[in-house]
Amino acid sequence: MSDTTLQTPLTVDDPRLTAFALGELDGARAAQIAAAVQNDPSLAAEVAAIQATAGDLTAALASTGQPRLGSDARAAIAAAAAPKRRLRLVPALSAGVLAAAGVAVAVLVQAPAMTDRKPARTTMIKPQAASHQDSNDQRVLGESGEVVVTYNIDIAGRMIDTGGMPASGPVVEYESEDRLQAAGQTEIGGASAFGAIGSGGRGDGRMRREYRSAAPAELRLAARDLNHEGYTALGGNAFRATAVDGGDASTFSIDVDTASYTNMRRMLLREQRMPPKEAVRIEEMLNYFRYAYAPPATASNNPFAVAAETTACPWNADHRLVRVGIQGAEIDRTERPASNLVFLIDTSGSMQSADKLQLLVQGFHHLVAGLDSRDRVAIVTYAGSAGLVLPSTSGDQHATINGALSRLRAGGSTNGGAGLSLAYATARQHFIDGGTNRVILATDGDFNVGTTSAGSLVDTVKAQAQGGIQMTVLGFGTGNLQDGRMEQLSNDGDGVYHYIDSERESQRVFGEGLTGTLVTIARDVKIQVFFNPAQVAGWRLVGYQNRRLAREDFNNDQKGAGEIGAGHQVTALYEIVPAGRAVPGHIATDPNPFVAGGAVETSAMTDPNGPMLRLRLRHKLPGADRSTLQEFDLADSGRDWLAASADTRWAAAVAGAGMRIRGEDAVAAWSWEAIRATAVDAVGSDPRGDRREFIQMIDTAMRLQPDAEPIGRHPLPGTEGADNELRPVTR
Amino acid sequence: MTTWIDIALDRYEAPLLRFATRLTGCPQRAADLVQDAFCALCRQPRAQVANHLAEWLYTTVRNRAIDHHRKDHRMTLVAPDTQAETAAANVDPAAPVEAAETNAALHQALAGLSDRQQDIVRLKFQDGLRYREIAQALGISEGTVARTMHEAMARLRAGRRLEEAV
């Protein structure tokens, strides 16, 4: 190729001409083009013109205002560049601050040895594009040629002894991940770090997950596509037949989160848009509202009372509806146990907008107002580096605490892991035996996984919850909310997840609901329902999809579940297919010939005149290791929908709206008009206007996603009384 | 003490922020990505990356942006990102006063280019990258860069001629 003549004549349309003009060609190739240009005045003119344009472009694009990273980000980079790799001082926690606060704590944190970390392993990469082309399945194939990547993540053996100090270092990194990136491969490791936290792969320490991911080469990120809110898809909510092995029991963990509801409210009322169906968790909608449930008898030791009602199902006349309601005991403000709180506040740049940091600070002001000298408050921020903004301070020092809150400023990047370690260390230092020890994480949800492994985050949160420090998660803002991850964190941390969409909501959570937010009255509350196959052909639990437990988990006291705070209410609905009716979607199975009666045929052993179901609850009192079992039988009253209590009608309307937004077939026959009419009829006194506000949300939803065609109106019911039909089981 | 990281930071901080902002449409997100990339760079043996620093940095930023995007895509994309508009001005690449009057025509022509053409033109003339580096940064072949640049330059010049004729 030393020949300086070109094989084909050079034209003005040849990209090499531009490359030559811009000095992009190396010696031999440049010489070839130079020779051709010399012999052709039109080419020479072209080169001159390209160079002139290039000069103009360079001048035009030489901007005066160069974007710069914030000082926090630069500090974080400087810290990362520091020669000592393994041992690192938490940067923002200067010795001076510690000395001034009179706290003698060595915050020397050791990152775990890299050998603990096994790189994410690719077990199978299936190019699904080819095999799915015929099916025209956009969900699998995607617009940009998605592929399904399956891999295992080894999350075993990384938890380090927590003996009172932060367990995981602030900077825990997958080296393998960066190597992969440097090699220009798709980051399976990076995706795994995100995926691990949203998925519920617990127990055996290994997770096998499927993720859809777009092929990088195909990917063009348009600004309009960039809503960073993340939602984890919930499983389906199909009917189960009692005749099928294991289908006679339903086991789940209670849940008092309300985040999904307030997040939906933000989208429907403020942004006037339909929430994505993954954002709809029906149990959180149900549990947002207050119901007229009776409290536990004061003489009883029960931390909560339970009630249930059966009626016709409003969206399917052939089915029955069971509402289970739990009412936690109220605790007087003055009798509340002492609280040791650490606010872990995300002050990264994305928290800047008015619906985030400002609202967050207001919310904490509400909370602080309810604290007194029994309590302690510390504030830890994380943004690039983690910092102890306020050392643990007595709860009656409102001015000091509020002053520290008011001085918070957003800026810089996010390093959630470092902040988390510091927050737990601070909480551990000031641990109150018999009190509430809690880290309250406030964020728009963007834990920076670039410097923190999601797996170790979950391990830390779980281990700390077992060690008596719970985590409550407060979600803020729009556009960035990592909803699924936040919910997972609060679940792992034995805490609650709230989404704060307004000052009113922060008043609700921290003002009126403060004792409920701070005081746990029962832990690991599980519900198990045994259905009587002689009366029940099939059933489904409405909502609680990611709260389902295995049948054997019910009796396993090692298996954690949801907490109930003082005064909290929990509502669950079952849709029941009565015996003798077909269970939707059910496919008949064959009996096992080696088992007497076929093991699946149970009706011979049951009583057609017995109760419809047995409701079983387990809970632990705070501090107790062993659970307490309560059992109740529920007979179907045969009550008509017209006779249903207002609470059941309201719950059904809320669930119906949630299922409509989720696009569930089961409620397709229940029109928006009928749902709305049911809700309007069941509003009751509604002292805070919550229920009326929900009707506005229905109005928005039915406008955005109207019924395809008019659906027959449903008769309206009309009683107010909420009878408890449960009968305690005595042995 | 000035380290090689400091030098890299001075050279690529602004270009990477612009690049990441174009990728994500969100200056805050961009700042996070760039910080991550530099933190990751600190963990690289210098000898391994010194010869292709630009490629490494741009590729890392791009991969992480895709990673974020992919994560988001597993979930549901719903509405336009409002953050881009409300973001702080200090990292907003749209803010720099680059629309001097004499360059107005050129900027107008630039805006008429495809996203990829704009990316390549900016990486070349604003950030001073070579074709090879641009190819790495965008995950495309060097040939594609050459062809796209050629088309972009032709369109820019045609656009200017049109402006001048009017």
CSV table of all heavy atoms in Angstrom, one decimal, chain B residues 28 37-38 40 76 84 87 97 120 123-124 141 155 165:
chain,number,residue,atom,x,y,z
B,28,GLN,N,-27.9,16.5,36.1
B,28,GLN,CA,-27.6,15.9,37.4
B,28,GLN,C,-27.1,14.4,37.2
B,28,GLN,O,-26.1,14.0,37.7
B,28,GLN,CB,-28.8,15.9,38.3
B,28,GLN,CG,-29.4,17.2,38.5
B,28,GLN,CD,-28.5,18.2,39.2
B,28,GLN,OE1,-27.4,17.9,39.5
B,28,GLN,NE2,-28.9,19.4,39.3
B,37,ALA,N,-17.4,7.6,36.6
B,37,ALA,CA,-16.3,7.2,35.7
B,37,ALA,C,-15.0,7.6,36.2
B,37,ALA,O,-14.0,6.8,36.1
B,37,ALA,CB,-16.6,7.9,34.3
B,38,PHE,N,-14.8,8.7,36.8
B,38,PHE,CA,-13.5,9.1,37.3
B,38,PHE,C,-13.1,8.3,38.5
B,38,PHE,O,-11.9,8.0,38.7
B,38,PHE,CB,-13.4,10.6,37.6
B,38,PHE,CG,-13.1,11.5,36.3
B,38,PHE,CD1,-14.1,12.2,35.7
B,38,PHE,CD2,-11.9,11.4,35.8
B,38,PHE,CE1,-13.8,13.0,34.6
B,38,PHE,CE2,-11.6,12.2,34.6
B,38,PHE,CZ,-12.6,12.9,34.0
B,40,ALA,N,-14.0,5.3,38.9
B,40,ALA,CA,-13.6,4.0,38.4
B,40,ALA,C,-12.2,4.1,37.7
B,40,ALA,O,-11.4,3.2,37.8
B,40,ALA,CB,-14.6,3.6,37.3
B,76,THR,N,-41.0,1.0,33.6
B,76,THR,CA,-41.8,1.7,32.6
B,76,THR,C,-41.4,3.2,32.4
B,76,THR,O,-41.2,3.9,33.4
B,76,THR,CB,-43.3,1.7,33.0
B,76,THR,OG1,-43.6,0.3,33.4
B,76,THR,CG2,-44.1,2.1,31.8
B,84,ALA,N,-34.7,17.8,33.5
B,84,ALA,CA,-33.8,18.5,32.5
B,84,ALA,C,-34.0,20.0,32.5
B,84,ALA,O,-33.1,20.7,32.4
B,84,ALA,CB,-34.0,17.9,31.2
B,87,ALA,N,-33.0,21.8,36.1
B,87,ALA,CA,-31.7,21.4,36.7
B,87,ALA,C,-30.9,22.7,36.9
B,87,ALA,O,-31.1,23.8,36.4
B,87,ALA,CB,-30.9,20.5,35.7
B,97,VAL,N,-22.7,30.5,26.6
B,97,VAL,CA,-23.1,31.5,25.6
B,97,VAL,C,-22.3,31.2,24.3
B,97,VAL,O,-21.3,31.8,24.0
B,97,VAL,CB,-22.7,32.9,26.1
B,97,VAL,CG1,-23.5,34.0,25.2
B,97,VAL,CG2,-23.1,33.1,27.5
B,120,ILE,N,-21.0,13.6,16.8
B,120,ILE,CA,-19.7,13.4,16.2
B,120,ILE,C,-19.0,14.8,16.0
B,120,ILE,O,-17.8,15.0,16.3
B,120,ILE,CB,-19.8,12.6,14.9
B,120,ILE,CG1,-20.1,11.2,15.2
B,120,ILE,CG2,-18.5,12.8,14.0
B,120,ILE,CD1,-20.4,10.3,14.0
B,123,LEU,N,-18.0,16.1,19.4
B,123,LEU,CA,-16.8,15.4,20.0
B,123,LEU,C,-15.5,15.8,19.2
B,123,LEU,O,-14.4,15.9,19.8
B,123,LEU,CB,-17.0,13.9,19.9
B,123,LEU,CG,-18.0,13.3,20.9
B,123,LEU,CD1,-18.3,11.9,20.6
B,123,LEU,CD2,-17.6,13.5,22.3
B,124,LYS,N,-15.7,16.1,17.9
B,124,LYS,CA,-14.5,16.4,17.2
B,124,LYS,C,-14.1,17.9,17.4
B,124,LYS,O,-12.9,18.2,17.8
B,124,LYS,CB,-14.8,16.2,15.7
B,124,LYS,CG,-13.7,16.7,14.7
B,124,LYS,CD,-12.5,15.8,14.8
B,124,LYS,CE,-11.3,16.4,14.0
B,124,LYS,NZ,-10.1,15.7,14.3
B,141,SER,N,-18.2,2.1,14.5
B,141,SER,CA,-16.9,1.9,13.8
B,141,SER,C,-16.3,3.2,13.3
B,141,SER,O,-17.0,4.2,13.2
B,141,SER,CB,-17.1,0.9,12.6
B,141,SER,OG,-17.7,1.7,11.5
B,155,ARG,N,-23.7,18.8,5.0
B,155,ARG,CA,-24.9,19.4,5.4
B,155,ARG,C,-24.7,20.8,6.0
B,155,ARG,O,-25.5,21.7,5.8
B,155,ARG,CB,-25.7,18.5,6.3
B,155,ARG,CG,-26.4,17.4,5.6
B,155,ARG,CD,-27.3,16.6,6.6
B,155,ARG,NE,-28.4,17.4,7.1
B,155,ARG,CZ,-29.3,16.9,7.9
B,155,ARG,NH1,-29.3,15.6,8.2
B,155,ARG,NH2,-30.3,17.6,8.4
B,165,ALA,N,-27.3,32.9,1.1
B,165,ALA,CA,-28.0,33.3,-0.1
B,165,ALA,C,-29.2,34.1,0.2
B,165,ALA,O,-29.6,34.9,-0.6
B,165,ALA,CB,-28.4,32.0,-0.9
